[in-house]
Every structure is written in structure tokens, then in C-alpha cells.
Amino acid sequence: MTHVGYLVAGWGIVVGVLGTYAVRLVRRGRALSGRVPEVHRRWLEAPGPAGSEDGRASGA
Amino acid sequence: MGTTTGTAAGTRDTTGSPRSRLLGVVTLLAVAVLGVLAFVLTDPDVRIHPTTGEEFGQFDAVRMLYVHVPLAVMTYLAYGICAVASVGVLVKRTPWWDVTAHAAAEVGTVFCGLVLVTGSIWGRPVWNTWWEWGDVRLMTTLVLFLMFTGYLALRRTTDDPRRQARRAAVVALVAVLDIPLVNRSVEWWENRTLHQRSTIGELKIEDLTLFTLFFGFVTAGLVLAWLLLHRFRVGWLEQAALDHGVAAAIAERHAETDDAEVLRSVGERAAGEGTSGDGEPGS
Amino acid sequence: MGPFLRDAWLVAERDLRIEARSRVVLHQVVPFSVLVLVLFGFALDADHRTLRTFAPGLFWVAVLLSALLAVQRSAALDRADGTDTALRMSGLSPVALFLGRATAVFVQVVALQVVLVGGLLVLYDVAVEDPLLLVVAGLVAGVAVAAAGTLYGALASGLGVRETLLPILLLPVLAPVLIGATRAFDDALGAAAVDGWSWTGLLAVAALVLTVVGASAHGALVED
Amino acid sequence: MVELRAAVALLGRFPALSGVDLSVDAGETVLVRGPNGAGKTTLLRLCAGLVRPESGSATVLGHDLGDGADRRAVRRRVALLGHGAALYDDLTVGENLRFWARAAGLSSGSGPDGVDQRVAGALDRLAVPERLVDQRAAVLSQGQRRRVALAALVVRRPDLWLMDEPHAGLDQAGRDVVDGLVAEAVAAGGTVVVSSHELERVAALSPRVVTLAGGRVVDGRAGGGAT
């Protein structure tokens, strides 16, 4: 295989950065969750009261 | 991404939900499959020159494109979501749109940075340069990246939340509207240099290559969806935490002021001085 | 439309009158822009031929950097002594306010360009081959710079870190203006064989887009 | 004129007003007092339509302050004397006043209702010396700036006056001028809300005093039995 160094670097950076970012998001979310009453986390119950759970993920 | 999948429903202090955990699992599987497709199943880009019989092409460097190109497309998608949500901020003025715009901008900028890095790493062996000034997409992406770096810097300033939402929305909209201009200007500019280079269109397209690229889009889309969802929820919680803080601050202000004490300290006039009943404090 | 243009002119006249009295741009920004040209000369350690080749680009970089200062000055006028509050209380339309401020900034940016063209002629030994193109491209690019600058000046004002935030917000947006104006000047100054008029067309589109967006977005920024 | 019910206003995330109930009738003068940080300035800014009520209801001059267009309408009919004088240092006193008059939409004509007449009248009313009119605002003393700022508001002939510490920085003559102004505005059917520390002075012209602390009104409880 040619360009192994480039490929390892490129894919490694992508996986590393995205993985780190994802972990940080989850950690931030957990830290914040403890400070906020559960009513604000409507995603905990499958059907949200305003039915906006799906809409909230509109980016997805 | 793996961290959510491990979390059972035991703890409720999380931005995960059953559906987002499923999404996380699917995303991780897709990344693994993409890795296999990109590194094991597909062939390197090797072409034979019709007259000289020489081998040429991108060789194994082409494997970088399976992550680079999908990320680039998803970057534009994320910024598109940010622009739409920014319109929502200016029209509807609700926190929902603001949190969505912020989430899309942040995730988009992470993607955009990766696009620039992977593009540069790919360009080194293929174009024989880390940076190609004449390439439209490269330059446009860089300017976009810089604009949204400014956007995120603006987001980090302490400001009235509602004003910050509108300022940020304006920045996002100007950035997105400016992009066609950047694109066009770099395109004309590039014509001057007439740089010869490889593009996706010249790849030796095989079915599996195409499928891998397509699968890359799906995977990057899943990653984007997972990140956006969780970034949105983090933003939503931040908002809620601050609102919660405001409610607490109001209660605190009420508790800390001893009315009688204040009245004594400001002087004897006032109490009962004809506020005609309308001055009754709220509960 | 009558009272609307009247209000815009009211603001522009105010800003220009203040500049005529205080001469902050004349005494501080203009010398700075010439200084930039001189510094480029030192940095490039170049003979006239090299400087002539790069003159259009250096010119526009100098214009953008100086315009940043002019924009900051313009935004600072309406922060002091409660004038921002008074403007909001006055009922003056945000669009008229934007157009007025942008007009004043435009006049200052054009004045900067006049001085800088003089600097190019003297310091860089350039020759103007197409004066009409030079003037038109300079004016059109000036509109784009003034519109974007005024919008972002208002946007960054009132933030604790506004001075450092303005460049990172404004300069990327002006990237196409920099490219277009430099190409147009390449043609006008005979530095490169390009079609300066089509670049001026691109500049005109940029100026139009930035002015329309700026005028319509300004309300969202100055309202609470 | 002013009708606030449990109005909450935020400065950033800080509840500067934590639930204000206040009702002011037309032709009434109200003195708002309270310790530093009680929310006096924010109360005036809320009534001026500069700050959005976060919760509760707020109506001024018949406009609901929760609505953006209504806030804009209120701002045009209200005069707010804030901490700054809102003068451009490099413009003359006359130029400043004409700018603010025309910004408020007054026509520049020279008739009795034209900008020039109104400006001259206002300067006269505030007893600003003639020689200052063509001076740059930068050379004015603090007290003179205050007077000119008030003149700029007089020009607009507002329906509701909101004055934040109007006596601050003024000499005895200036204070008398302010008092006269308040009396005049009330006599003309206008409403005046004044925030001040100087009780003795304002007490003379204000029949009603409201005490603010912790972001809400703390007196007027006589009927509520709190005392």
C-alpha cells in the first residue's frame, strides 16, 4: 500500500477529533444534566409532551 | 461516540435517549464498515497510460477521499442547517432555533477543519503540495472555516443571550450569502493559474469505489446526525440551566431583601404613602 | 422614501461633520494606511518592478486594514455618553441609520483610496493605464467595504471584546472584495492581463448583496 | 399610563427587576427611590421600551411592552433622561439639539413648530446661556451637559417623562429648573417618573413615593398588613 503515512494521519485525525469531540459532548451533557431538573430533558421520555423530540433533531 | 452505547438506562443524567443510543450504535457500525470498504475491499487508483503504458493515478491516496469528500458535503449541510436555523432565530426569536443554529455551526466547523486537514494531507501526494491556492473548493472552504471561527468566537462572548442570538444569526447569514461570491471570485481567479490537477471526475470509477463513496456519505451523515443531536441537547441544557439560574436568582433577590429594613434605611416617608393599592408587590 | 433618505442623510452628515471637526481618520487612519504601504516596501525589500506587480494587492490590503480602523471609529461614536440609547429612543429607522453610517464610512474609505493611489504613484512608481476602471472599481469596492464594515461594526459594538472580534468577523467576508478589487486594479494599473471590468461586475454584485443584507439585518442588531 | 404587573426584566441573566407591580396614572408624578442596585434604572428603561419584560405584563401609554412594534411606538412618545447626556462632543450644542430633534422626526422648517423654533424654546426653558449654543459639547461642564440633555428631550414634547437622577450634577438654579419642568409637564397632563436619592427636593413636587429594593416594590404594603 502506498502513502500509508498520509492515510494513517488523515484517517487518524478524523477519527481522533470526532471521537474526542463526541466524548466531550457526552461529558458536558452529563455534567449539565445534574444541574437541570428533568422536565427540561424531554428526550428521556420517548413521546415528548410537545411532541418536539423529533423536531429537535431536525438537523439529523 | 462509544460512550453512550455503554450507558444503560440506569442513570438519567445524560443527553442520551434510547433512540440516540441506537443511532450511536448504527453510526459506530457504519464507521467500521466504511473502514473495511475503504482499506480492504476497494482497490487503489492505478491507471495505465494508453500510449506509454506507464502506471499513474492516485494509488492508495484515493482512500483518503472516502472520508474527505463525505465530510466536505456534510460540512456544507451543517452550515446550511445553521443558515436556516439563523433565519428562524430572526423570524421566530425562540431559543430552539438559536440552540439549533449554534449546534450546527459548531459541528459544521469541526467537520470543516477536518475537511481542510484531510484535503491538505491528500493534496500532498496527489497534487504535490500541501496547499493549492488556485483550487476553488479549497479556498471557499477555508474562507467558510474562517467565517465560522469568527461566529464561534462571537458565541463565546458574554452578552445578553437574546442579543447574542441575533448577532450570531446575522453573522451566519452573511457568511452563507457571501459564500457564492467567494466561490465565484476564486473560480475566476483560478482560471488565471490554469492549474492541472486530479479531480474526483477523473477517478477510475468502479462500482465498489462508487459504493464506498456513497457509503461514506451515509456514514458521515450518521456522524453528523449523532453529533448535532447531542450538541443540541447540550445547548438546550445550557439554556435550561441558565433559565433555572434566573428563577433561582429572582427567588434569591426576594429572599435577601428585608423590606422593613430597606424602608427604615431609605427613610420614614413612603410606607402607606398613597401607592393606591397598585403598588402591591407580587407574590 | 423622502423622509427616509432625509434620515439617512441626517446621520451621514452628522458623522462627516464629526470627522471634519475631530479629524481622527485624517490624522490617524490615513497616516496608518500610508505606513502600511511603506512597511510592505521594507518587507519586500523590492525594486520597483516587484512592487509594481504586487501594488494592487498591497493597496487593497492597506485599504482593508485602514477601513477596519475607520469602522471602529464610526461604531465608537454611538457608544459614548448614552448616544446609543438616545438613538433607540429617537425612533430613527435602523435602515436609515445603517445607510447614513455606511455613507459616511464610504466617503472616508474613498478618501483613503485617493491618498493610497497617490502613495502607489509616488512610492511604488505605478502608472495608471485605465483611470476610469480605477475610479469605478474603487468606488464599487468602497461601497462593499463600507456596507460590510458598518454592519459588523454595529454587530461587534457593545461586546467587551469588540476590538479584537471585528477583524476576524469582517475580513473573511471581504475576501471576495479583496480578490475582485485587486484583479480590477491589476487591469487598471497594467500589473496583469485580466479583464478588470468583469471583476468590477463581481464587485458590484458583492456591494449590492452586502448593502441589502446590511440594511435589512441592521434592525435585528440595534433592536433589543 | 404605566401599568406593570409582576414585571421581570433581565440584564443578561440577572433579574434586575424581579417582579414589579406599579401603576402610574396620567398627570401623576412618582418618585422612585431605593438603595443602589435596587433596579431603579432598569425600571425606567423598561418603561421607556428599551428593555423587554421577561415575564409579567407591562403596559405603557396603552402599548404592550411585550411586543416589539409596541416598544418602538412607546419609545417615540417617551423622554428618558439617562445617565449620559447623549451629546456628540465634536458637534456644537445647537447641532446636537437639531440632530436629535430631526432624528425624532421633526420637520426642519422654520415655522412655529419647526426644529429651530423648538430648539430655541427648549434652550430658553432650560436657561442655557446663548453663548453656549455654538460651543462644542466637549467644553460643557457636567451640569451644562445635563441641561442640554434635558433641552433635547423638551424639544420632543413627550407624553411620559422618565428621569434617572435628574438633579445629579446640577447647581441650585439647575435643580429649580428641573423642578419647574416636572411641574410644567404634569400640569400639561403628562406623567413623570423620577428616580432620585434626593428625597427632600423631590418630595416637594412628588405626591407619591415608591421604594424599590431587590428588583421589586417593597412599600405600599399598608393594605397588605405586612407592617
Side-chain angles (χ1 to χ4, degrees), chain B residues 64-76:
Chain B
M64 190 77 84
L65 294 180
Y66 301 132
V67 61
H68 171 77
V69 177
L71 278 179
V73 171
M74 291 307 148
T75 300
Y76 281 82

Side-chain angles (χ1 to χ4, degrees), chain A residues 3-29:
Chain A
H3 309 112
V4 176
Y6 294 111
L7 287 170
V8 169
W11 278 74
I13 289 170
V14 169
V15 172
V17 167
L18 289 180
T20 311
Y21 181 60
V23 169
R24 280 192 49 196
L25 275 187
V26 169
R27 290 228 177 109
R28 264 171 84 190

Side-chain angles (χ1 to χ4, degrees), chain D residues 18-73:
Chain D
S18 59
V20 169
D21 295 85
L22 180 68
S23 167
V24 183
D25 296 328
E28 201 177 2
T29 309
V30 173
L31 166 70
V32 180
R33 61 172 188 175
N36 289 334
K40 297 189 295 291
T41 296
T42 307
L43 175 63
L44 294 188
R45 288 176 66 87
L46 175 74
C47 294
L50 287 168
V51 180
R52 195 184 109 123
E54 188 65 24
S55 64
S57 76
T59 312
V60 171
L61 299 168
H63 294 284
D64 175 11
L65 292 182
D67 181 78
D70 275 29
R71 277 200 299 281
R72 279 192 288 282

